[in-house]
Amino acid sequence: MAILAPSILSADFLNLGDNIRKLENAGIEMLHIDIMDGHFVPNLTFGPALVEYVRRFTRLKLDVHLMMTNPQDYIDEFCDVGADYITVHQEACMHLDRVISLIKKRGAKAGVALNPATPPSTLQYVLDDVDIVLVMSVNPGFGGQKFIERMLFKVAELDRLRGDKYGYQIEVDGGINNKNVKSLVESGADIIVAGTAVFRGDIIENCKKIGAIIK
Ligand code: DX5
Ligand code: ZN
């Protein structure tokens, strides 16, 4: 059993409020917000101001994915505007242990994301402290890319690794659709991020279809 966290990167920005209400009506519990800085990834998206507006508008859990260099400089700001979960990239943190502590000290849940080429073993000494491990199943930067099949092995590896020892949840992000989502949940994924598959076409129908597969 897993949950769906729609990524607003693929939403209709001029009708974001309407799109979010549809997600609520479809029973969604968590919203994924992709912050891109044009350095860590070759694209620019939103900043804390958007998170603040979304926070005021909805009670959905806000899952903020920081695809940026020096994420430590923005943890306070994203916590101040109401992020529930903050995920930083392993590849972007010289002092990952410190950044995780900072997030948790602010009362948010801490996630660490792994690019497709980064192995779970890089997290060995922080796994006790993280709430989420986010497996990127595309190279981060854009919505609508093709799912990298090999990432199923990474999800399964993280599932094996946690056994009874760790409490982290496994989140997967990128290229997920009706067809590949089942194998991800079977491999151990708990949180499924989807942009294109949710926002292209009928939002409520799409959420229900994916929801039925992952429940
Ligand atoms: C990729 C982002 C994803 C993206 C997923 O860089 O982190 O969250 O929005 O979008 P789809 O589902 O279209 O691949
Ligand atoms: Zn993301």
Side-chain angles (χ1 to χ4, degrees):
M1 156 123 193
I3 65 160
L4 173 63
S7 164
I8 61 166
L9 186 61
S10 306
D12 175 356
F13 296 151
L14 292 183
N15 293 292
L16 186 56
D18 164 81
N19 282 195
I20 292 174
R21 287 287 178 256
K22 284 187 175 140
L23 298 175
E24 290 171 344
N25 290 337
I28 293 299
E29 297 161 35
M30 182 187 272
L31 205 58
H32 186 84
I33 305 182
D34 285 313
I35 310 294
M36 303 188 187
D37 70 345
H39 295 282
F40 183 71
V41 289
N43 196 3
L44 289 161
T45 56
F46 329 109
L50 179 98
V51 177
E52 187 173 11
Y53 278 106
V54 173
R55 173 74 298 155
R56 281 193 216 143
F57 185 77
T58 181
R59 290 198 179 155
L60 294 179
K61 294 267 178 241
L62 302 184
D63 175 32
V64 175
H65 178 191
L66 299 182
M67 280 165 276
M68 61 190 298
T69 55
N70 297 319
Q72 69 280 356
D73 298 346
Y74 287 89
I75 303 300
D76 277 331
E77 221 171 319
F78 281 105
C79 287
D80 287 344
V81 294
D84 297 292
Y85 290 77
I86 296 189
T87 293
V88 295
H89 268 262
Q90 187 277 344
E91 305 83 6
C93 295
M94 186 124 42
H95 299 289
L96 183 59
D97 184 86
R98 182 184 287 153
V99 182
I100 292 167
S101 308
L102 188 58
I103 297 171
K104 298 187 82 164
K105 210 184 292 163
R106 286 297 318 255
K109 302 267 189 206
V112 180
L114 298 174
N115 279 338
T118 309
S121 56
T122 55
L123 302 183
Q124 184 181 353
Y125 291 99
V126 294
L127 281 181
D128 255 333
D129 295 329
V130 298
D131 298 295
I132 285 181
V133 178
L134 171 53
V135 174
M136 288 307 304
S137 42
V138 297
N139 287 294
F142 303 94
Q145 301 184 79
K146 191 175 174 306
F147 181 78
I148 301 172
E149 293 284 337
R150 292 188 299 279
M151 294 305 111
L152 278 168
F153 296 116
K154 200 189 282 192
V155 172
E157 187 182 340
L158 280 160
D159 187 43
R160 261 196 320 275
L161 201 61
R162 76 178 150 179
D164 307 322
K165 201 168 162 209
Y166 300 110
Y168 58 82
Q169 290 194 292
I170 302 171
E171 181 172 13
V172 192
D173 184 2
I176 303 176
N177 55 42
N178 286 346
K179 296 194 183 90
N180 55 23
V181 72
K182 190 158 189 272
S183 51
L184 281 166
V185 177
E186 284 170 355
S187 302
D190 306 291
I191 304 171
I192 300 292
V193 177
T196 311
V198 167
F199 291 99
R200 185 175 295 164
D202 186 319
I203 294 175
I204 297 185
E205 273 304 302
N206 292 340
C207 288
K208 286 192 173 154
K209 267 192 204 145
I210 299 172
I213 303 172
I214 67 180
K215 256 169 198 150

